[in-house]
Amino acid sequence: MIEPAWAHLKRVTTKKGAPRNRAEAERAWRKAWEELEQWRIQAWIERIPRHIKEVIRCNGGNDYQEGAASYKRDWKTLKRLDKYRSQIISYMRQQVLLGLGRVDPMEPLLRKPKPPELPEQMETGPQPYELLDPEPLHSDHDPKQRR
């Protein structure tokens, strides 16, 4: 499951040249690991079922080339999708706080983000808006008016 991370981490840690010593290498790898984006990890996780299906199709044989996809992964779309997920979480958080009366009245009201356009062949799993109803709870929130 962690195999795709190694090539990525190696690229990140050696893009300015190989580390000169073990301590520098360890620092670079730890930093790269901590900065690993959630959308990238999610993309690696989402491809696991495809690999399992291919291994089963090949009856466990050696003719399956791991990582060979029938379509090219659209990394820019995955970044946009991750940004959208962050925006919808912030929006839903604010809606919950509004419902509890715990939002700062001076805080601007967030708008419900629009889902990004996705290529037809991309499988991304359930979207946040499919799991929860992010409709506004309160329309009476006015950041210009102090309570």
Side-chain angles (χ1 to χ4, degrees):
M1 308 293 173
I2 198 167
E3 289 302 317
W6 299 128
H8 172 75
L9 292 172
K10 184 175 180 182
R11 272 193 314 275
V12 169
T13 57
T14 60
K15 68 182 169 191
K16 293 181 181 177
R20 290 179 175 68
N21 56 49
R22 181 183 173 116
E24 187 180 315
E26 188 173 331
R27 250 190 325 274
W29 276 77
R30 285 183 188 275
K31 182 176 185 253
W33 182 259
E34 289 169 4
E35 293 175 354
L36 192 57
E37 304 98 335
Q38 184 61 42
W39 65 266
R40 192 178 303 272
I41 296 168
Q42 187 65 35
W44 293 331
I45 291 169
E46 287 173 2
R47 69 187 213 177
I48 292 169
R50 179 173 50 87
H51 290 307
I52 292 171
K53 287 177 188 173
E54 283 298 306
V55 169
I56 291 169
R57 187 185 63 77
C58 296
N59 293 320
N62 291 329
D63 50 342
Y64 171 55
Q65 292 183 355
E66 185 177 350
S70 57
Y71 60 89
K72 190 171 178 162
R73 192 53 103 152
D74 186 350
W75 294 104
K76 287 183 182 179
T77 301
L78 287 171
K79 280 185 177 182
R80 283 195 312 268
L81 186 60
D82 185 59
K83 181 179 177 184
Y84 168 70
R85 285 179 177 152
S86 296
Q87 289 171 340
I88 199 87
I89 287 168
S90 296
Y91 174 79
M92 290 190 300
R93 178 186 167 278
Q94 186 182 57
Q95 291 299 308
V96 169
L97 291 174
L98 276 170
L100 297 172
R102 297 181 65 192
V103 71
D104 181 2
M106 297 306 287
E107 183 180 336
L109 193 59
L110 299 175
R111 292 179 185 228
K112 180 180 174 184
K114 293 181 182 174
E117 294 290 324
L118 298 176
E120 286 182 30
Q121 72 271 18
M122 255 185 98
E123 297 176 19
T124 58
Q127 301 303 308
Y129 57 85
E130 295 170 349
L131 302 174
L132 297 170
D133 181 17
E135 290 305 314
L137 296 173
H138 298 280
S139 58
D140 60 347
H141 176 75
D142 185 3
K144 295 176 184 169
Q145 205 174 46
R146 276 286 227 204
R147 288 184 182 165

